[in-house]
Amino acid sequence: MTFEGFRRIGGVAHHVLVDGSGPVCVLSAGLGLSWFDWDPVVPLLAPHRTVVRFDRPGHGLSQPAAAPPTAAGEAHRIAAVLDALELPGPATVVGHSIAGFHAEAFARLHPDRTAALLLVDPSVEEHPRTPRAPGAVTGALGAVLSAAGVPAALGPAVRRAAVRRAAVRHDAAPAALVRRVYRTSRVLRGTLLENAHYGAVAAQLLGLRAGHPLPPRLPVTVLAAPDGSARWERRQRALARRLGARYEAAEPSGHLVMLDRPDAVADAVLRPAQDGA
């Protein structure tokens, strides 16, 4: 199955792509990233999986968000994307960075639709803080920066600089796509909105952990990129223990594991089936 287009979910047009065939695998990228950041992984998975990618509101080519993100809302968004594609069966859900919150929330709120859970260098917040009225500050900042023409002038350069800091390899994304996405005020505002609600979503996930256990015997993997940081490795290992997950280290790799070690991501997706899980 191959598809690229838009599906309207909650009144928002979401950019969605589907490649390959077989059991379903959903890939959700981190803060400010786009569908093409998974490009190195897709060819490794498509012969074995129906690979679904989507841009969250205000990311990639999707329309702006109609409401601030929540842990439950992002979990239900994944389910709605699968429904819109008529792919109801259990899926392996892969969340990178902040999307690890969303993927874990999906597994807890939609256990019957979760075949496996893979968290790729996921965000970890043991004691999240929720700022007061984050939306007002974010909205004002986004408006000021957009009015000043910052996205059009600096957006692609900021994207390239961020990838250089977070990846061992260079950014292989086509320059035309980077300009198309990151010159827009929509993506700037979408990134600021998610970042502003980061603490709230982390806190909501802690609440879900208390009341919604993961399905028994669910294959869960934390694929971390310690990158020489003992503290980050300890936090990732602690998360794996808390979730009863397999811990793996992608080395060498920066935070953007899908760019640096697409083979490690693909292996972690395919291994539960190979293990008979």
Side-chain angles (χ1 to χ4, degrees):
M1 178 180 180
T2 301
F3 170 81
E4 180 175 5
F6 291 86
R7 290 289 185 266
R8 188 165 292 277
I9 297 168
V12 176
H14 287 61
H15 179 230
V16 181
L17 299 91
V18 184
D19 297 276
S21 60
V24 177
C25 174
V26 182
L27 306 177
S28 188
L31 179 70
L33 299 179
S34 301
W35 82 94
F36 51 73
D37 290 301
W38 292 107
D39 279 355
V41 177
V42 173
L44 303 178
L45 289 179
H48 314 283
R49 294 288 187 273
T50 298
V51 183
V52 176
R53 291 176 283 170
F54 70 98
D55 292 324
R56 295 189 300 280
H59 288 60
L61 298 180
S62 292
Q63 287 184 335
T70 65
E74 295 308 312
H76 298 328
R77 188 186 312 283
I78 296 171
V81 167
L82 294 175
D83 288 342
L85 295 170
E86 298 182 349
L87 296 171
T92 296
V93 184
V94 182
H96 167 254
S97 193
I98 192 175
F101 292 159
H102 312 157
E104 183 185 337
F106 176 87
R108 294 182 182 281
L109 294 175
H110 299 275
D112 57 329
R113 303 187 66 173
T114 309
L117 175 63
L118 170 59
L119 307 178
V120 179
D121 212 37
S123 297
V124 181
E125 292 297 332
E126 297 87 352
H127 307 287
R129 297 179 180 180
T130 304
R132 295 182 180 178
V137 175
T138 298
L141 178 60
V144 169
L145 294 176
S146 299
V150 170
L154 300 177
V158 171
R159 146 81 192 197
R160 287 192 293 271
V163 171
R164 279 198 297 270
R165 287 196 301 271
V168 174
R169 299 180 183 178
H170 70 282
D171 187 2
L177 285 181
V178 171
R179 288 193 298 270
R180 182 183 180 188
V181 170
Y182 290 95
R183 283 175 57 87
T184 66
S185 61
R186 169 180 49 79
V187 171
L188 169 66
R189 292 175 185 240
T191 302
L192 289 173
L193 181 66
E194 277 204 351
N195 187 63
H197 291 270
Y198 172 89
V201 172
Q204 292 156 11
L205 178 60
L206 292 186
L208 291 178
R209 286 176 181 169
H212 298 270
L214 290 172
R217 295 179 296 280
L218 177 72
V220 182
T221 302
V222 172
L223 179 62
D227 196 24
S229 171
R231 180 174 182 271
W232 184 242
E233 181 176 15
R234 286 195 300 271
R235 296 179 71 192
Q236 294 285 304
R237 285 186 178 277
L239 175 64
R241 288 193 298 271
R242 181 168 191 172
L243 301 181
R246 180 203 305 260
Y247 173 85
E248 298 179 9
E251 297 175 318
S253 178
H255 182 53
L256 300 182
V257 185
M258 66 278 272
L259 300 185
D260 289 337
R261 291 295 309 278
D263 59 318
V265 176
D267 288 348
V269 169
L270 298 174
R271 185 176 297 109
Q274 295 167 350
D275 290 347

